[in-house]
Amino acid sequence: MQLLTALGAFLSGVIGSMGFGSGTVLIILLTVFLSFEQRTAQGINLAFFIPCAIYSIFYYQRKKLIKKEFILPLIVPGLFGAGAGYLILSFLSTVILKKMFGALLIAIAAKQLLAPLIQRLSKGNKV
């Protein structure tokens, strides 16, 4: 089980450093395979995200891939969103939280699967 945990954490770090949602991997690992409560898994995911984000910031900054003029306009609303999410989370049951997370995963998968079709249709090509 420790190997599975280490592998999941490694994959989450890699995916997160590429700018993708690493929480999906880590939360699924924690809830499905390690039987953590959804709320606890999300808290662990947030704590895990901080060192990964710091590392990624230094790496991307060194490569000159961060546009500094966008940082403040993104950080401030993000902090307010995190606070609002925490307040909303405190009123939701674990069952509803699991369903919301599952719906989010399904929506993301559907968007990814349908993106090529939508792109072709928007260019006027036949299906």
Side-chain angles (χ1 to χ4, degrees):
M1 199 54 88
Q2 287 181 334
L3 179 62
L4 179 65
T5 304
L7 182 61
F10 176 77
L11 286 174
S12 291
V14 169
I15 292 169
S17 291
M18 291 190 300
F20 299 113
S22 63
T24 54
V25 173
L26 193 58
I27 290 174
I28 290 170
L29 169 75
L30 292 172
T31 56
V32 175
F33 296 103
L34 300 177
S35 302
F36 279 75
E37 180 193 41
Q38 183 76 24
R39 196 178 314 264
T40 304
Q42 287 184 219
I44 291 169
N45 178 61
L46 288 173
F48 179 82
F49 173 77
I50 293 169
C52 292
I54 291 170
Y55 173 79
S56 296
I57 288 169
F58 284 121
Y59 177 80
Y60 284 103
Q61 180 60 35
R62 193 177 74 214
K63 298 281 186 176
K64 308 245 187 284
L65 296 171
I66 295 178
K67 295 184 184 268
K68 293 179 183 174
E69 64 270 13
F70 292 108
I71 293 174
L72 197 57
L74 292 173
I75 288 176
V76 173
L79 289 173
F80 281 110
Y86 173 76
L87 290 173
I88 293 168
L89 175 69
S90 65
F91 293 106
L92 296 176
S93 72
T94 302
V95 173
I96 292 173
L97 201 54
K98 282 183 178 181
K99 289 180 181 180
M100 289 173 64
F101 184 69
L104 176 66
L105 292 178
I106 291 169
I108 291 169
K111 181 187 178 291
Q112 292 297 331
L113 289 172
L114 295 175
L117 175 64
I118 293 169
Q119 189 176 21
R120 285 178 63 192
L121 290 173
S122 68
K123 291 182 179 179
N125 296 337
K126 293 183 179 180
V127 178

